[in-house]
Amino acid sequence: MQKQQSKVDNEYFAARCRENGLRITPQRMAIYRMLAGSRDHPSADAVFRRIREEFPSISYDTVNRTLLTFARIGLAEIVDGPGGPRRFDLRTEDHHHFHCRKCGRIVDFQSADYDRLQIPSEIRDRFTVLDKKVVLSGLCDRCIS
Amino acid sequence: MQKQQSKVDNEYFAARCRENGLRITPQRMAIYRMLAGSRDHPSADAVFRRIREEFPSISYDTVNRTLLTFARIGLAEIVDGPGGPRRFDLRTEDHHHFHCRKCGRIVDFQSADYDRLQIPSEIRDRFTVLDKKVVLSGLCDRCIS
DNA sequence: GTGATTGCAAACCTTTTGCACGCCA
DNA sequence: TGGCGTGCAAAAGGTTTGCAATCAC
């Protein structure tokens, strides 16, 4: 019984695959649905272990390679974190992160103020900026001892 | 010939060690100085390779463990990035990051506007926020093809 | 002196690669 | 049918751990 979020959008998924010349396979669909139903920025391994319950023949590789492919075509994003395993998220509307230094949990939040931030011209003139995110870090409620 | 930044501050280093019950060893001093002289958020391996030129007997472990120790006592910080090797930086005044998605380069910049950002109450009430950073990502000048 | 720190080596975990088979378009 | 995608297995890369010897205090 998967907790599904309303984010799942098979049309959108299929369109993105087609426009990038990617075939629509059962593995890719399962991985997309699993990501859409996860709120916790899972690693490739976490996605693999969850998917295997409903798709036992899938391999870790396929999961990992598919997640990288999704990131490459902009369907998913690689979440910034303090090293360690790469973690993934579905690319969605603007959101920001709070990151717990102790347990590694990442919590999303929205902020209209943060969304309105301008890019400094020093950066805008030199680089192509594709994303803007505020990252707060500290200790989460579970970790304050 | 090391390019040293003015950040090196042996007094500060020694004080931080002492107040945390850490001994001041030649290895730790060399690692601190190397970090202070690096502008590029090096990984443990990068610090190790650079230090070995002037301190050939040092081991990778010592470098890695020392960097983690520095991060724990707040002398250095672990830089957020898209997975892969952990990267370190000296903890300094407020600064923000631009991160190149292609080559992984991380460029620091300052912004008074960004420094003035408030923490949303939704987060401030639940968590202990220790740091706040704006992370821009995209393509750097060298990678725009 | 003595307990923290180091260096070494092995273990561990995650990611990447090469290849043959199978399946989607 | 053709070629992309998958699964498997091995390699590579980075981090962590246990332990004996060493060094800072």
Side-chain angles (χ1 to χ4, degrees), chain A residues 23-24 26 44 60-61 64-65 68 85-86:
Chain A
R23 291 178 181 169
I24 295 167
Y60 170 81
D61 276 295
N64 189 51
R65 261 179 294 131
L68 289 174
R86 255 198 299 257

Side-chain angles (χ1 to χ4, degrees), chain A residues 7-20 22-24 28-29 31-33 35-36 66-78 88-93, chain B residues 101:
Chain A
K7 283 201 261 176
V8 186
D9 183 342
N10 290 304
E11 293 302 316
Y12 179 73
F13 165 70
R16 282 304 183 109
C17 284
R18 261 184 258 109
E19 78 194 25
N20 285 279
L22 297 182
R23 291 178 181 169
I24 295 167
R28 284 177 176 161
M29 284 194 287
I31 292 165
Y32 172 75
R33 275 201 313 268
L35 250 198
T66 300
L67 289 170
L68 289 174
T69 303
F70 285 177
R72 182 171 52 78
I73 69 173
L75 191 57
E77 69 177 357
I78 296 174
F88 297 87
D89 192 14
L90 272 205
R91 173 177 288 282
T92 67
E93 69 291 341
Chain B
R101 294 186 185 179

Side-chain angles (χ1 to χ4, degrees), chain A:
Chain A
M1 191 63 165
Q2 280 308 313
K3 180 176 60 183
Q4 294 286 335
Q5 284 181 284
S6 51
K7 283 201 261 176
V8 186
D9 183 342
N10 290 304
E11 293 302 316
Y12 179 73
F13 165 70
R16 282 304 183 109
C17 284
R18 261 184 258 109
E19 78 194 25
N20 285 279
L22 297 182
R23 291 178 181 169
I24 295 167
T25 66
Q27 289 90 337
R28 284 177 176 161
M29 284 194 287
I31 292 165
Y32 172 75
R33 275 201 313 268
M34 179 59 64
L35 250 198
S38 300
R39 300 186 136 285
D40 60 346
H41 317 280
S43 63
D45 185 62
V47 174
F48 172 58
R49 277 184 280 107
R50 286 176 208 169
I51 278 190
R52 203 161 40 163
E53 292 170 19
E54 63 182 51
F55 199 144
S57 67
I58 204 167
S59 75
Y60 170 81
D61 276 295
T62 298
V63 173
N64 189 51
R65 261 179 294 131
T66 300
L67 289 170
L68 289 174
T69 303
F70 285 177
R72 182 171 52 78
I73 69 173
L75 191 57
E77 69 177 357
I78 296 174
V79 178
D80 273 1
R86 255 198 299 257
R87 295 169 65 169
F88 297 87
D89 192 14
L90 272 205
R91 173 177 288 282
T92 67
E93 69 291 341
D94 260 3
H95 68 278
H96 306 277
H97 284 160
F98 171 85
H99 161 240
C100 178
R101 294 186 184 179
K102 195 161 172 189
C103 70
R105 185 156 67 118
I106 293 170
V107 177
D108 292 348
F109 65 93
Q110 314 274 142
S111 162
D113 279 354
Y114 290 180
D115 294 347
R116 271 194 294 273
L117 286 176
Q118 301 296 309
I119 312 294
S121 57
E122 165 198 357
I123 297 292
R124 206 184 46 222
D125 295 345
R126 270 176 79 195
F127 306 131
T128 304
V129 177
L130 299 172
D131 189 51
K132 174 186 66 176
K133 205 184 273 327
V134 177
V135 179
L136 306 176
S137 64
L139 297 172
C140 77
D141 45 0
R142 298 180 200 150
C143 288
I144 297 172
S145 40

Side-chain angles (χ1 to χ4, degrees), chain B residues 123-142:
Chain B
I123 297 293
R124 208 184 45 223
D125 295 346
R126 270 177 80 194
F127 306 131
T128 303
V129 177
L130 299 172
D131 189 51
K132 175 186 67 177
K133 205 185 269 333
V134 177
V135 179
L136 306 176
S137 65
L139 296 173
C140 77
D141 45 1
R142 298 182 201 148

